[in-house]
Amino acid sequence: MINASLKEMAAALAAKKISSVELTQLFLARIKSLNPDMNAYITLDEARTLAQAKLADARIANGDITPVTGIPFAQKDIFCAKDWRTTCGSRMLENFIAPYDAHVISQFDHAGAVNLGKTNMDEFAMGSSNETSYFGKVKNPWDRERVPGGSSGGSAAAIAARLCAAATGTDTGGSIRQPASLCGFTGLKPTYGVVSRYGMIAFASSLDQAGPMAKSAEDCALMMNVMAGFDERDSTSLQRDKEDYTRDLNKPLAGLKIGLPKEYFAEGLSAEVAKVVQDAIAHYRKLGAETVDISLPNTRLSIPVYYVIAPAEASSNLSRYDGVRYGHRAAEYTDLLDMYCKSRAEGFGAEVKRRILIGTYVLSAGYYDAYYLKAQQIRRLIAQDFEEAFKHCDIIMGPSAPGTAFKIGEKADDPVAMYLQDIYTIAVNLAGLPGMSIPAGFANKLPVGLQIIGNYFDEARMLNVAHAYQQQTDWHKQMPEGIA
Amino acid sequence: MQWEVVIGLETHTQLKTNTKIFSGASIKYGAEPNTQADEVSIALPGVLPVLNAEAVRCAIKFGLAVNAEIAPRSIFARKNYFYPDLPKGYQISQYELPVVGKGSLTVQVGDQEKTVRITRAHLEEDAGKSVHGAQEGMSGIDLNRAGTPLLEIVTEPDMRSAAEAVAYAKKLHELVQWIDICDGNMQEGSFRCDVNVSVRPKGTEKLGTRREIKNLNSFKFMQQAIEYETQWQIDTLEDGGTIQQATVLFNPETGETRAMRSKEEANDYLYFPDPDLLPLAISQADINAVKATMPELPEAMKSRFEQQYGLPAYDAAAITASKPMADYFVSTIQAFGGEAKQASNWVMGSLSAKLNEAGLEVINSPVSAQALAGLLKRIADNTISGKMAKDVFEAMWAGEGDADDIIAKKGLKQVSDSGAIEAIVDQVLAANAVMVAEYKAGKEKAFNGLVGQCMKASQGKANPAQVNEILKKKLA
């Protein structure tokens, strides 16, 4: 059952082969045995989780069933969930009990899904290895000396180790896709504005987007049906008709034009990863797709641009953590300024501080035009690169990350090397486009992800492209050793 | 040296919406602390702002009222600074692209008209309040006010005296109430003015260094503060000193202004567009929809009153100085049906004097428009003289009844029966032979004396015009 698809789980629940409580207990038992080493979850609340499972069983008994009713999901600890401790991976919120539900959480609740627990993450989603979490490192189930990627590292490890049916994540610069690549599962970052950000703790507001992390494209499609949709509480939420993301899963791929950006296969990409990605693309040709060479000339600028815009927004978004109303407050202080300084110095980790400093710097009078304004101009150029590219192809493919999972500590002291982890994913966030990562094979026994980038609102098409591949390959079904 | 003061105003008007500018929490004044602080007001992790459309409509109304450009696209920006009553660590305001652009407001200063240019008006949220002293050694934060919608209205440095600044502020105060976007309550902080003051040698162009007087919440204090500040700056310069740009506070008890922080300590607010809010788009159709709900503006009403009622410009301006006053006047005229000038005299004269004396607003006048019209009718039909009417009005104000009741009760009915008046006149002429002789000898003044005697003999009730007429006839 732990390796079953959401559809199979739903069928088993509907046929009463298993109850939601039993299914939930199955995962809770696995968490109990594996999580102490893996550290995928920050907060577990068995009583609350099982109460939800009981409610789901009652719904199922009444025939009030959605495709996710009774299925246990892991929630990234960036989403506020009423009465759950919600830490965002930070000491600042170590004791913060959210008094309200994020839109994503209430969508799962309304659908009758079960919340298994809150997953580990880089502090305030700032990181690519889950090493910045105040609640400790997360291990990659494929090799426990390695990182799971980040920032949604806890959700990633939970899926790879089958500690949940599926999980939610958020992606500001690659935080769903890079861990999906490093942990060998399917993750989707939707078009900006498709999933409401209400109740999702902000890192960089113009880039943050929640999305599904699951074992397959089909599972992601089912989760998108739960997560997506207009929410009036988020002004950047898009007012669009509700769509069924599973509708195109089985469309044939014949005639599909795949664009291959030359910048994504250039220096910096590991040869082994390149080979796996090229093999996957070759497979698509066999499925009837054709490939065209394209160029995204401003790709190299995406990291510098991102590291101006994201910290600028973050520096302001994190100002509310001042120790006044909630969150960490220093035990002793002499006056107001001292309280601010000590509380924030103690509550935030090094990477968060680094980004607050960068952000404050680029917004300062005299630097704003040279940094923030310039970055916004280049951001438009990056979006135009994609606009131009999509004139020549339907979908873009390339690697999700430049390499496979790296060793814990390997890049921890080199922020720039860490930032380069997101070289292939960041431009998608800057442009607001949807991006996916699907398992495409292994290099040195470590998973490699294929990135699929679609045009705005082309999620259903991307899921179709991913699903077609997953019908013919079994990379996505493989499990790490030692988790049974 | 002759000095000239240069003044510009920034006014924060609290908009009359039901809820906060970026959330559904109530903005009602005076609630228990933090009972109107929802998750957005507290700035919990993960919350997002949603713009209140009513606040935008208020801004459009104001733009239309001052003939301003209304931006088809304006931007909300974050003004970042740390303060305990600022829950997000930034205030959402508008910076580079405000919703209302250049406009103007013409005000009456004495018998001069003065046009003050409006630079801009922008939407923003108010902060909460720090509460000191409620608990020993602790400060409290009340976030009820956090997120209250404000329209900040900024002028060009166009005013040249405290009187001009106060006239502008008063006119603006009336206008925002007239168009119903602000309750104008200065005690509760619904209308707060910051005044920028600088001085320069008269005849020169270059602006002096300004100091900003913060948070003036009465026109009297504004007048005092500007006068004190102006003199202080002149004295400082004449003593060879220089003015440092600064923010100052006015102390009503000493009548002095005092610097609270200098420019050196001023913050860099790290403004940038708020990524949580889309640019505010306002179409011509949106503007037209608001236009359809606009009341007639004071200027238009003033012209109409001049034409429709034949009022002199001065009267029309005074009557339209506030909406309730204009409403009162119109109700009076409608109930009276007589000469409009008569009504405006009474409204501007006795009524306004009594209201001022009692510190009442016209809507709370003990003499209603209908009651005043009743009085005017009795003057018009010669039941009472204008002089008697003043007494009747006093009695009406004191709550003794309507005009007719009082006239009857006090027996004030004017005598207009010519037979009765003739008898009185004969009596007076007989008793005052000396005055009659003086008059006949060419002493005009003696005539007035005789009129006075007649009025006295009638206990003031005789119609003075008739007395005049009959006296003249008899003395001819």
Side-chain angles (χ1 to χ4, degrees):
Chain A
M1 200 43 112
I2 59 159
N3 209 24
S5 70
L6 294 183
K7 219 174 167 178
E8 288 161 352
M9 287 184 192
L13 286 163
K16 317 258 159 61
K17 283 184 189 152
I18 191 168
S19 69
S20 172
V21 169
E22 288 163 348
L23 185 60
T24 302
Q25 273 166 339
L26 178 67
F27 282 107
L28 286 173
R30 292 183 59 77
I31 291 168
K32 236 173 230 166
S33 92
L34 290 169
N35 194 58
D37 183 44
M38 216 72 81
N39 200 27
Y41 287 87
I42 292 175
T43 302
L44 293 159
D45 185 341
E46 226 180 276
R48 202 173 287 282
T49 298
L50 286 170
Q52 251 188 326
K54 276 196 195 103
L55 280 176
D57 280 331
R59 273 183 73 161
I60 293 167
N62 287 331
D64 176 16
I65 305 176
T66 78
V68 297
T69 307
I71 298 177
F73 290 86
Q75 300 289 355
K76 184 174 180 179
D77 205 20
I78 200 168
F79 296 104
C80 286
K82 194 171 186 321
D83 300 330
W84 281 82
R85 183 169 73 137
T86 300
T87 71
C88 219
S90 180
R91 183 183 182 195
M92 185 56 87
L93 294 175
E94 187 177 5
N95 299 308
F96 177 70
I97 311 290
Y100 77 104
D101 278 327
H103 181 76
V104 164
I105 296 290
S106 60
Q107 288 294 98
F108 276 102
D109 276 357
H110 291 151
V114 176
N115 183 354
L116 263 180
K118 310 290 294 288
T119 58
N120 209 334
M121 56 183 285
D122 279 300
E123 185 179 7
F124 285 101
M126 299 175 187
S128 304
S129 65
N130 216 108
E131 290 168 291
T132 72
S133 170
Y134 175 67
F135 299 91
K137 300 169 177 67
V138 176
K139 291 180 180 172
N140 188 322
W142 293 91
D143 177 345
R144 298 194 196 181
E145 287 183 1
R146 292 176 189 271
V147 302
S151 66
S152 315
S155 287
I159 296 165
R162 303 303 189 255
L163 302 181
C164 60
T168 55
T170 61
D171 189 318
T172 304
S175 286
I176 287 176
R177 290 160 291 158
Q178 183 255 15
S181 181
L182 270 50
C183 287
F185 62 91
T186 306
L188 167 65
K189 181 208 93 78
T191 306
Y192 183 80
V194 163
V195 177
S196 167
R197 292 186 294 118
Y198 195 81
M200 183 177 120
I201 299 177
F203 160 18
S205 312
S206 73
L207 300 159
D208 295 343
Q209 184 62 206
M213 301 169 74
K215 295 188 292 279
S216 68
E218 184 188 66
D219 286 3
C220 284
L222 287 167
M223 288 173 74
M224 279 297 286
N225 284 349
V226 176
M227 299 170 76
F230 173 67
D231 174 19
E232 61 180 11
R233 296 171 302 177
D234 175 0
S235 304
T236 61
S237 168
L238 296 161
Q239 221 159 345
R240 308 183 76 245
D241 290 338
K242 195 93 183 138
E243 43 178 307
D244 176 5
Y245 289 92
T246 65
R247 68 185 189 274
D248 290 337
L249 281 179
N250 295 310
K251 270 197 175 170
L253 296 191
L256 179 77
K257 261 194 182 164
I258 301 171
L260 303 176
K262 66 171 191 244
E263 294 79 6
Y264 284 32
F265 296 92
E267 205 194 322
L269 179 63
S270 97
E272 296 94 333
V273 170
K275 179 165 188 320
V276 172
V277 169
Q278 291 293 6
D279 287 350
I281 289 162
H283 198 109
Y284 273 104
R285 288 198 197 92
K286 273 190 259 167
L287 287 170
E290 55 177 298
T291 56
V292 287
D293 290 332
I294 57 165
S295 174
L296 299 169
N298 292 298
T299 299
R300 68 186 177 85
L301 295 175
S302 61
I303 287 190
V305 164
Y306 177 89
Y307 279 98
V308 169
I309 292 171
E313 293 180 3
S315 68
S316 174
N317 284 334
L318 270 57
S319 292
R320 69 188 58 197
Y321 308 109
D322 55 7
V324 173
R325 287 145 294 127
Y326 55 80
H328 180 76
R329 186 192 287 188
E332 278 172 41
Y333 43 87
T334 53
D335 58 15
L336 179 64
L337 184 64
D338 193 43
M339 181 184 102
Y340 284 153
C341 292
K342 284 200 178 120
S343 301
R344 287 167 66 83
E346 294 167 7
F348 292 138
E351 184 61 27
V352 170
K353 285 178 196 158
R354 180 174 8 251
R355 298 201 196 186
I356 289 173
L357 289 174
I358 295 171
T360 305
Y361 180 81
V362 300
L363 290 175
S364 301
Y367 297 100
Y368 181 87
D369 288 5
Y371 291 105
Y372 187 80
L373 215 56
K374 183 62 78 182
Q376 290 290 11
Q377 287 162 354
I378 300 172
R379 183 176 184 173
R380 271 194 291 282
L381 294 179
I382 288 168
Q384 282 164 16
D385 279 358
F386 283 104
E387 207 177 296
E388 180 59 31
F390 280 119
K391 288 178 186 162
H392 308 288
C393 60
D394 305 313
I395 218 121
I396 294 170
M397 284 187 187
S400 300
T404 52
F406 48 92
K407 288 245 168 82
I408 291 170
E410 189 183 324
K411 298 183 200 288
D413 298 327
D414 187 349
V416 175
M418 192 72 89
Y419 297 169
L420 282 168
Q421 274 297 305
D422 296 330
I423 175 83
Y424 306 126
T425 47
I426 272 179
V428 166
N429 298 78
L430 290 168
L433 289 165
M436 267 186 100
S437 180
I438 62 170
F442 292 84
N444 303 322
K445 297 187 179 166
L446 291 168
V448 172
L450 169 73
Q451 188 176 202
I452 302 172
I453 300 166
N455 212 335
Y456 300 104
F457 310 115
D458 268 355
E459 286 85 353
R461 179 68 160 155
M462 294 156 66
L463 288 160
N464 161 226
V465 168
H467 183 68
Y469 181 77
Q470 292 180 342
Q471 292 305 100
Q472 303 226 339
T473 58
D474 68 353
W475 305 118
H476 64 293
K477 288 191 172 154
Q478 305 209 11
M479 283 196 289
E481 284 167 22
I483 62 146
Chain B
M1 192 191 302
Q2 282 273 83
W3 295 92
E4 178 177 59
V5 61
V6 176
I7 304 166
L9 262 74
E10 293 169 20
T11 308
H12 289 91
T13 54
Q14 180 179 317
L15 299 176
K16 249 174 110 176
T17 55
N18 293 320
T19 55
K20 295 190 175 180
I21 186 167
F22 297 119
S23 86
S26 165
I27 61 165
K28 226 170 171 179
Y29 182 82
E32 283 295 302
N34 294 312
T35 52
Q36 288 170 181
D38 61 349
E39 59 217 38
V40 173
S41 309
I42 302 170
L44 287 180
V47 297
L48 295 169
V50 177
L51 180 59
N52 181 341
E54 191 51 38
V56 177
R57 278 191 284 275
C58 289
I60 296 173
K61 264 187 169 178
F62 178 75
L64 290 169
V66 295
N67 275 317
E69 302 156 10
I70 291 160
R73 184 172 171 278
S74 63
I75 303 282
F76 285 97
R78 293 184 182 179
K79 180 180 180 179
N80 294 281
Y81 64 96
F82 285 96
Y83 205 72
D85 66 16
L86 188 72
K88 295 188 294 296
Y90 58 85
Q91 177 197 30
I92 306 177
S93 181
Q94 295 191 301
Y95 186 52
E96 281 181 336
L97 291 172
V99 58
V100 174
K102 290 185 174 65
S104 68
L105 190 61
T106 299
V107 302
Q108 195 80 28
V109 188
D111 51 6
Q112 297 283 311
E113 274 200 343
K114 167 92 190 180
T115 296
V116 176
R117 289 170 299 160
I118 306 246
T119 314
R120 59 184 283 167
H122 65 255
L123 286 165
E124 62 182 27
E125 59 179 342
D126 209 343
K129 259 188 236 171
S130 299
V131 185
H132 303 292
Q135 235 180 307
E136 182 67 29
M138 306 263 275
S139 291
I141 307 293
D142 178 4
L143 295 175
N144 282 351
R145 201 182 64 183
T148 296
L150 301 176
L151 186 69
E152 181 175 339
I153 301 157
V154 183
T155 74
E156 293 292 312
D158 281 351
M159 288 148 281
R160 295 291 174 269
S161 66
E164 286 185 5
V166 170
Y168 161 80
K170 281 187 172 167
K171 175 87 182 187
L172 183 68
H173 185 240
E174 288 302 341
L175 181 66
V176 293
Q177 294 176 79
W178 187 291
I179 60 176
D180 203 28
I181 64 169
C182 174
D183 67 16
N185 191 324
M186 296 177 81
Q187 276 70 47
E188 292 175 7
S190 299
F191 187 90
R192 323 191 276 268
C193 296
D194 302 339
V195 185
N196 284 294
V197 179
S198 65
V199 297
R200 64 185 172 192
K202 207 171 168 73
T204 60
E205 280 293 307
K206 194 167 172 289
L207 290 170
T209 303
R210 68 190 153 89
R211 304 212 310 165
E212 182 180 19
I213 314 170
K214 277 270 182 208
N215 268 333
L216 292 164
N217 65 356
S218 98
F219 298 123
K220 196 176 116 204
F221 293 162
M222 183 185 292
Q223 177 99 23
Q224 290 174 359
I226 296 172
E227 282 168 358
Y228 178 87
E229 176 65 23
T230 306
Q231 200 52 50
W232 183 87
Q233 291 191 15
I234 292 170
D235 291 348
T236 302
L237 292 171
E238 286 188 341
D239 290 348
T242 53
I243 307 292
Q244 301 295 325
Q245 193 172 329
T247 301
V248 306
L249 284 181
F250 175 68
N251 181 342
E253 275 160 33
T254 60
E256 294 174 359
T257 54
R258 188 181 230 163
M260 59 187 274
R261 58 168 181 259
S262 72
K263 177 75 177 166
E264 283 75 35
E265 297 162 42
N267 289 313
D268 176 355
Y269 288 116
L270 310 167
Y271 277 104
F272 76 107
D274 191 334
D276 287 333
L277 289 160
L278 303 175
L280 171 59
I282 296 175
S283 67
Q284 192 54 50
D286 296 332
I287 296 172
N288 291 344
V290 173
K291 214 179 244 172
T293 69
M294 286 284 278
E296 184 180 26
L297 292 171
E299 286 305 306
M301 191 179 275
K302 175 176 169 268
S303 312
R304 180 165 65 81
F305 281 7
E306 288 176 40
Q307 286 173 6
Q308 187 177 344
Y309 301 121
L311 289 184
Y314 179 84
D315 290 38
I319 290 293
T320 57
S322 87
K323 187 89 190 310
M325 192 58 96
D327 289 344
Y328 186 98
F329 171 75
V330 169
S331 300
T332 306
I333 279 289
Q334 279 167 356
F336 172 38
E339 209 186 315
K341 176 64 182 143
Q342 191 62 269
S344 74
N345 284 346
W346 274 85
V347 169
M348 290 158 52
S350 300
L351 178 77
S352 293
K354 281 305 244 181
L355 289 171
N356 277 339
E357 199 183 298
L360 285 175
E361 295 295 324
V362 70
I363 44 164
N364 298 318
S365 168
V367 177
S368 70
Q370 283 68 30
L372 180 64
L375 177 65
L376 294 176
K377 278 183 191 160
R378 296 292 85 86
I379 301 168
D381 66 13
N382 283 329
T383 306
I384 51 171
S385 67
K387 191 169 176 298
M388 283 151 71
K390 298 247 153 103
D391 297 333
V392 176
F393 181 79
E394 288 285 342
M396 289 165 73
W397 185 273
E400 292 174 27
D402 68 18
D404 288 339
D405 291 342
I406 292 163
I407 290 166
K409 219 174 350 185
K410 300 200 168 178
L412 294 173
K413 199 166 156 52
Q414 181 167 255
V415 177
S416 300
D417 170 351
S418 54
I421 294 175
E422 225 168 295
I424 292 169
V425 169
D426 286 342
Q427 210 184 307
V428 167
L429 290 176
N432 292 280
V434 180
M435 267 198 231
V436 172
E438 281 175 359
Y439 176 73
K440 289 197 165 152
K443 205 173 171 190
E444 283 288 329
K445 255 186 162 175
F447 184 79
N448 292 337
L450 289 167
V451 172
Q453 290 298 323
C454 291
M455 294 305 292
K456 199 176 163 191
S458 75
Q459 289 166 315
K461 289 184 214 164
N463 182 328
Q466 272 176 299
V467 170
N468 260 293
E469 196 185 320
I470 292 167
L471 253 182
K472 264 193 186 137
K473 211 163 62 191
K474 299 229 175 210
L475 291 170

